[in-house]
């Protein structure tokens, strides 16, 4: 309870540098850091379960269906890694991965680079749909599983309807842009 005198019941140093990615499921926490490592922690035992190494800072982490973990590397890496049961699958994103969110079996990545975009990855292996946007700073999803929120360098909050994405009309999935 945060209203208590000492609400923090456990503290642990997780990385050698700044933590810049965070996600959780019911029993695990995933952290990504500027030390180029994503770490998965057991909440109950307060111990590290495994780690995923990248070639640059890990800016985004997201737990997906079946306990799979997606991690996204910074400008020096430009890759998404999908990790599960000791195996890793690598996806070249083409830019810094600033955010990751799962929608069922689809992974949505906010990618910054020469062409900043939101990428929807089908079966976590290829870019199926893309929507351009100014450099993305933050990516989150609504609890209903159909709405995606992006915060961009142009100071706009965009609300996307991921459930009705139409590749032929890139802006059709944009429900609202707020400045």
């Amino acid at each position: 309870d945060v209203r208590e005198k000492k609400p923090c019941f456990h503290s642990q140093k997780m990385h050698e540098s700044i933590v810049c990615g965070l996600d959780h499921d019911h029993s695990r926490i995933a952290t990504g850091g500027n030390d180029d490592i994503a770490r998965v922690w057991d909440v109950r035992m307060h111990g590290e379960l495994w780690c995923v190494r990248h070639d640059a800072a890990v800016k985004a982490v997201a737990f997906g269906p079946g306990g799979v973990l997606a991690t996204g590397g910074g400008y020096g890496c430009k890759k998404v890694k999908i990790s599960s049961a000791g195996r890793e699958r690598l996806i070249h994103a083409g830019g810094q991965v600033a955010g990751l969110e799962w929608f069922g079996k689809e992974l949505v990545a906010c990618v910054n680079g020469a062409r900043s975009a939101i990428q929807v990855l089908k079966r976590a292996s290829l870019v199926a749909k893309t929507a351009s946007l100014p450099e993305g700073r933050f990516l989150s999803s609504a609890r209903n599983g159909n709405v995606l929120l992006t915060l961009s360098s142009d100071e706009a909050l965009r609300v996307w309807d991921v459930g009705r994405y139409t590749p032929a009309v890139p802006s059709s999935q944009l429900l609202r842009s707020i400045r």
Side-chain angles (χ1 to χ4, degrees):
D1 187 345
V2 295
R3 296 168 290 190
E4 296 292 324
K5 267 188 165 179
K6 293 186 177 184
C8 181
F9 63 90
H10 180 77
S11 178
Q12 183 171 342
K13 183 173 175 149
M14 298 178 162
H15 290 269
E16 296 300 318
S17 189
I18 297 169
V19 174
C20 45
L22 178 69
D23 196 19
H24 64 90
D25 64 9
H26 299 292
S27 62
R28 301 173 301 169
I29 296 172
T31 57
N34 275 354
D35 56 3
D36 307 348
I37 300 173
R39 300 181 187 277
V40 178
W41 305 88
D42 184 300
V43 173
R44 290 180 219 106
M45 303 304 290
H46 308 294
E48 183 177 324
L49 297 172
W50 82 83
C51 69
V52 178
R53 297 190 182 279
H54 279 264
D55 297 329
V58 180
K59 300 290 186 180
V61 293
F63 282 112
V68 68
L69 178 70
T71 58
Y75 281 113
C77 180
K78 301 177 183 177
K79 297 177 186 95
V80 173
K81 288 186 178 181
I82 311 294
S83 305
S84 177
R87 296 181 311 175
E88 288 182 0
R89 184 178 315 160
L90 192 64
I91 302 168
H92 295 279
Q96 171 180 293
V97 181
L100 292 167
E101 288 285 335
W102 286 94
F103 289 87
K105 293 183 179 181
E106 291 184 336
L107 180 63
V108 177
C110 182
V111 179
N112 296 322
R115 294 181 352 190
S116 296
I118 294 174
Q119 298 176 352
V120 180
L121 307 169
K122 287 263 191 195
R123 294 181 306 280
S125 61
L126 62 126
V127 176
K129 305 167 186 175
T130 302
S132 297
L133 78 157
E135 185 171 297
R137 301 284 184 207
F138 184 74
L139 178 71
S140 185
S141 62
R143 296 286 176 228
N144 69 8
N146 291 324
V147 177
L148 182 72
L149 308 170
T150 58
L151 183 60
S152 304
S153 59
D154 64 353
E155 301 176 0
L157 172 67
R158 290 176 175 82
V159 183
W160 305 82
D161 183 348
V162 179
R164 65 180 181 94
Y165 190 100
T166 307
V169 187
S171 62
S172 67
Q173 75 284 4
L174 181 61
L175 294 178
R176 193 167 182 190
S177 182
I178 304 167
R179 281 207 174 136

